[in-house]
Amino acid sequence: MEKLIVEGGRKLQGQVRISGAKNAALPLIAATLLAPGTHVLRNVPDLRDTRTMLRLLENLGVKHSRQEDVLTIDATDIIYSEASYDLVKTMRASVLVLGPLLARLGRAKVSLPGGCAIGARPINFHINGLELLGVKCLLEGGYVDASIDGRMKGNVIYFDIPSVTATENLLMAAVQAEGKTVLKNAAREPEVGNLIDMLNGMGARIEGKDTDRLTIYGVETLSPANCAIIPDRIETGTYLIAIAATGGEGTVTHCNPVHLPALLEKLRATGLVIEETETTITVRQPANGVLKSVDITTMPYPGYPTDLQAQFMALMSLGSGVSVVHETIFENRFMHVAELQRLGADIKIDGHTAMVKGRTMEGLSGARVMATDLRASSSLVIAGLAASGRTEISRIYHLERGYEKLVEKLAGLGGSVWKEQE
């Protein structure tokens, strides 16, 4: 097993190119199951999670090849309709094959999903929605065994809480259902919009993109897709925060600033200077060199993203006052706090709220820490880059699930980061 070594105290400077979004690539890869033929996806990140999703599709009979960031998927033949525990246990997004398999084959058996241990993310939204479309769902032996005779029937489906994966799964299930399906209180994330663009390009009829009310008019057949993955807004935010935390100045390229309204507002509130073009964001240090402490509350899009909460907390540990971080999405998403404290961060937790007292004068110091989930891992990297001395981060397989070429990109910005065997 590998660990990541970070020699802190260096300002990150220069440019870094953003990869395609992991959270968009996974549902788009799953959506290729809907139509026989050869699909082409561009700007696909090469990550542990995308490779896991492709292995899952391989087990179903799908063929694929990759050239740089272009992925070609031949979904002509689907031999099996079961997604086994061995693959699904490592990645929650594996459940996204449930909707397209039902639409294509009328049956699917998918293991209950795993992934990061950041809290309960129940699958009941998926199951309740599918049952409203006429699907019979049985939960047995840790699997969802779902089937339907003929086509699904359109219906109105309301989500108590906006769920990204449930919205995506039911979109894929409903595109070939009879009649009209309406998803109310649907997720509005850009990754959902990317999926809608792909499905409409395949011949689906979906209205309401970027709103919480999606209307799907079922069609009988779909054609293979040819589309691009949007830039990764979480990777974008992570690098912006990393540059800011080290006292550096730099530009992230091949990104979409429109997808990060809440983060950019909060970064500006700290005193950082943020400059945007259509595809770049530049971050510069405050004129007085002092970061103001700023409060955040995680919310569904377009609110502040939970996937950038840990990174912002690392930044606020270097602020000039006290920051209040309120987590409303996942109940276990403060597991990184104990590890940040090992680096010297002054953080106190009260339920779903963390109080972060900035250490402007003292700063952080390198230490041995352990990654607990994907985004927590990146907060430790940020803190390690800003700290004095050496930080060793174990269990970095979490990082490899969501950040393409992390070591190379940080080195390109002047960071001293490398991998070693434990």
Side-chain angles (χ1 to χ4, degrees):
M1 189 177 294
E2 290 181 318
K3 61 183 177 180
L4 195 70
I5 310 298
V6 182
E7 287 286 355
R10 298 190 183 192
K11 295 181 180 181
L12 298 187
Q13 309 271 4
Q15 293 189 353
V16 59
R17 177 174 179 146
I18 298 304
S19 301
K22 172 184 86 80
N23 290 339
L26 298 176
L28 268 64
I29 290 171
T32 62
L33 294 168
L34 286 165
T38 301
H39 304 254
V40 178
L41 302 180
R42 290 168 276 113
N43 199 33
V44 181
D46 186 14
L47 301 165
R48 183 187 291 261
D49 274 11
T50 52
R51 292 192 291 270
T52 298
M53 182 64 86
L54 289 170
R55 284 200 303 275
L56 196 162
L57 264 63
E58 279 179 18
N59 286 358
L60 302 176
V62 172
K63 300 179 179 65
H64 64 88
S65 62
R66 185 185 184 106
Q67 186 169 5
E68 296 182 347
D69 67 351
V70 179
L71 187 62
T72 302
I73 299 175
D74 183 355
T76 301
D77 299 313
I78 300 180
I79 302 171
Y80 301 106
S81 59
E82 179 175 329
S84 70
Y85 171 74
D86 289 338
L87 283 172
V88 177
K89 69 179 179 181
T90 65
M91 185 183 69
R92 179 171 184 81
S94 303
V95 75
L96 288 167
V97 301
L98 184 59
L101 282 175
L102 280 164
R104 175 89 176 264
L105 302 177
R107 63 186 185 280
K109 186 176 182 181
V110 179
S111 172
L112 293 175
C116 288
I118 57 176
R121 292 186 281 183
I123 196 176
N124 58 298
F125 290 162
H126 305 246
I127 294 173
N128 293 344
L130 290 172
E131 288 178 339
L132 286 171
L133 297 176
V135 177
K136 295 178 181 178
C137 295
L138 296 175
L139 290 176
E140 293 181 329
Y143 280 80
V144 181
D145 196 344
S147 63
I148 189 167
D149 294 326
R151 294 171 63 186
M152 285 176 259
K153 305 293 189 298
N155 207 336
V156 176
I157 300 169
Y158 175 80
F159 298 107
D160 291 334
I161 301 170
S163 166
V164 174
T165 52
T167 298
E168 291 166 341
N169 230 342
L170 292 169
L171 274 171
M172 291 185 282
V175 288
Q176 290 182 280
E178 290 182 12
K180 181 175 75 172
T181 299
V182 180
L183 305 183
K184 295 183 177 182
N185 200 28
R188 299 165 55 189
E189 273 73 359
E191 295 79 13
V192 175
N194 201 180
L195 176 63
I196 290 172
D197 286 341
M198 173 181 173
L199 294 173
N200 282 340
M202 295 168 67
R205 294 178 57 205
I206 303 170
E207 297 175 354
K209 177 187 169 185
D210 299 329
T211 76
D212 62 0
R213 182 186 175 97
L214 301 175
T215 303
I216 307 106
Y217 299 93
V219 298
E220 291 191 12
T221 59
L222 296 170
S223 303
N226 187 324
C227 66
I229 309 297
I230 60 173
D232 196 315
R233 61 193 173 100
I234 305 304
E235 185 191 24
T236 300
T238 299
Y239 282 110
L240 287 172
I241 293 171
I243 293 168
T246 62
E249 297 185 351
T251 301
V252 294
T253 69
H254 298 79
C255 64
N256 190 339
V258 173
H259 292 165
L260 285 164
L263 173 69
L264 297 183
E265 178 183 328
K266 292 298 181 180
L267 290 178
R268 288 190 172 104
T270 69
L272 291 162
V273 178
I274 305 295
E275 300 170 357
E276 305 170 39
T277 71
E278 286 189 5
T279 59
T280 69
I281 306 172
T282 299
V283 57
R284 305 187 194 282
Q285 292 299 311
N288 63 0
V290 177
L291 283 172
K292 298 177 185 175
S293 291
V294 174
D295 301 339
I296 61 168
T297 298
T298 61
M299 299 283 285
Y301 189 86
Y304 191 92
T306 181
D307 280 353
L308 286 171
Q309 175 256 104
Q311 299 92 315
F312 199 83
M313 188 181 290
L315 179 67
M316 288 297 91
S317 68
L318 302 164
S320 59
V322 176
S323 171
V324 178
V325 177
H326 187 51
E327 173 61 52
T328 71
I329 308 297
F330 295 123
E331 68 272 19
N332 292 340
R333 207 155 207 180
F334 283 153
M335 291 190 294
H336 54 280
V337 169
E339 303 304 303
L340 287 175
Q341 288 170 335
R342 290 177 58 80
L343 294 163
D346 186 347
I347 306 171
K348 293 181 173 59
I349 300 175
D350 183 8
H352 297 294
T353 301
M355 307 285 288
V356 187
K357 185 177 180 181
R359 294 173 59 87
T360 307
M361 301 301 295
E362 305 92 339
L364 303 176
S365 300
R368 293 182 64 182
V369 293
M370 180 179 67
T372 54
D373 64 73
L374 170 54
R375 305 309 173 184
S377 306
S378 60
S379 77
L380 301 179
V381 174
I382 291 168
L385 288 165
S388 60
R390 175 177 170 133
T391 296
E392 297 185 12
I393 305 171
S394 62
R395 296 175 65 180
I396 62 168
Y397 57 84
H398 287 295
L399 279 169
E400 293 168 348
R401 290 186 50 225
Y403 292 95
E404 184 178 48
K405 299 179 180 178
L406 177 72
V407 170
E408 295 89 332
K409 290 184 179 184
L410 288 174
L413 290 168
S416 181
V417 182
W418 67 93
K419 293 180 185 178
E420 288 183 3
Q421 291 296 320
E422 288 276 16

